[in-house]
């Protein structure tokens, strides 16, 4: 689903149903010019507000505030609670997880952002991941593939001609087999 945070951000329904086996992906355009920052700042924990205040540029601060603010709104809707009742813990790499959960719905989520784009993925009873990246002409994909992909995936990318390997890596190229 594609959502925008212009003016007042509203969800399509109060309590979306997340069935086992389903994955919901939410897209938000966190354009600092179009966001009501006060609305999202109020949802943050004191620690999150302190972290936001450490950003020097207002644009970066706004993007930070919107990310966890909307995450809180979405989690609250799925869990049918108020956003201020949520508590997050953070892993070694800063990945948020719900600190306390009701066993009725084991909500898993992942967040990724690049510039104004924020993606949220939600699943029930299983880990989920999502990633968004800004496409850049200067990106060297092979070190990234070697770091994050399986050996088989990296070998597949290595077999593509240099001119089409980046398109294949980013998932927007032709679905032709490597030569």
């Amino acid at each position: 689903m594609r959502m925008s945070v212009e003016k007042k951000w509203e969800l399509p329904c109060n309590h979306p149903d997340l069935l086992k086996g389903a994955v919901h992906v939410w897209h938000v355009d966190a354009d600092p010019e179009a966001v009501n920052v006060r609305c999202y700042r109020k949802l943050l924990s004191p620690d999150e507000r302190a972290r936001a205040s450490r950003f020097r540029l207002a644009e970066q601060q706004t993007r930070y505030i919107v990310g966890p603010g909307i995450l809180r709104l979405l989690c609250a809707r799925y869990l049918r609670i108020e956003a201020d009742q949520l508590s997050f813990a953070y892993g070694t790499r800063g990945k948020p997880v719900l600190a306390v959960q009701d066993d009725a719905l084991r909500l898993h989520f992942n967040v990724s952002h690049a510039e104004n784009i924020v993606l949220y993925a939600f699943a029930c009873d299983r880990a989920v991941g999502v990633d968004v990246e800004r496409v850049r002409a200067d990106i060297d994909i092979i070190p990234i593939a070697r770091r994050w992909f399986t050996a088989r995936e990296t070998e597949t990318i290595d077999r593509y001609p240099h001119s089409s390997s980046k398109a294949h890596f980013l998932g927007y190229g032709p679905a032709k087999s490597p030569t």
Side-chain angles (χ1 to χ4, degrees), residues 8 21 48 61 67 70 87 93 108 144:
K8 183 179 177 191
E48 290 167 330
Q61 190 176 90
I70 291 177
S87 178
R93 292 187 175 189
H108 294 266
I144 296 170

Side-chain angles (χ1 to χ4, degrees), residues 55-67:
F55 286 97
R56 301 235 186 268
L57 298 175
E59 184 176 285
Q60 291 173 333
Q61 190 176 90
T62 297
R63 286 182 183 144
Y64 175 79
I65 291 167
V66 170

Side-chain angles (χ1 to χ4, degrees), residues 125-142:
D125 290 328
R126 67 177 175 164
V128 65
V130 66
D131 191 34
V132 61
E133 297 291 336
R134 180 177 164 253
V135 177
R136 298 185 341 234
D138 65 339
I139 191 170
D140 186 2
I141 62 167
I142 299 304

Side-chain angles (χ1 to χ4, degrees), residues 11-151:
L11 295 173
C13 61
N14 288 336
H15 305 294
D17 289 324
L18 185 58
L19 304 175
K20 287 187 179 189
V23 175
H24 291 184
V25 178
W26 297 81
H27 166 268
V28 172
D29 180 358
D31 179 0
E33 299 294 321
V35 174
N36 182 348
V37 179
R38 289 185 314 202
C39 169
Y40 298 111
R41 185 186 299 275
K42 287 190 290 188
L43 298 172
L44 302 183
S45 70
D47 288 345
E48 290 167 330
R49 281 190 220 115
R51 183 173 176 192
S53 70
R54 289 193 292 266
F55 286 97
R56 301 235 186 268
L57 298 175
E59 184 176 285
Q60 291 173 333
Q61 190 176 90
T62 297
R63 286 182 183 144
Y64 175 79
I65 291 167
V66 170
I70 291 177
L71 176 63
R72 285 179 172 280
L73 285 174
L74 290 169
C75 285
R77 295 291 177 129
Y78 282 112
L79 297 170
R80 295 171 165 77
I81 62 174
E82 294 298 319
D84 61 1
Q85 293 177 315
L86 292 168
S87 178
F88 292 102
Y90 295 88
T92 56
R93 292 187 175 189
K95 179 181 176 185
V97 294
L98 289 168
V100 179
Q101 278 203 67
D102 181 340
D103 284 335
L105 174 65
R106 298 296 301 170
L107 186 65
H108 294 266
F109 58 87
N110 191 249
V111 180
S112 180
H113 50 85
E115 295 183 0
N116 291 351
I117 303 301
V118 186
L119 291 182
Y120 302 87
F122 290 86
C124 178
D125 290 328
R126 67 177 175 164
V128 65
V130 66
D131 191 34
V132 61
E133 297 291 336
R134 180 177 164 253
V135 177
R136 298 185 341 234
D138 65 339
I139 191 170
D140 186 2
I141 62 167
I142 299 304
I144 296 170
R146 287 194 177 118
R147 168 76 170 94
W148 298 104
F149 288 17
T150 66

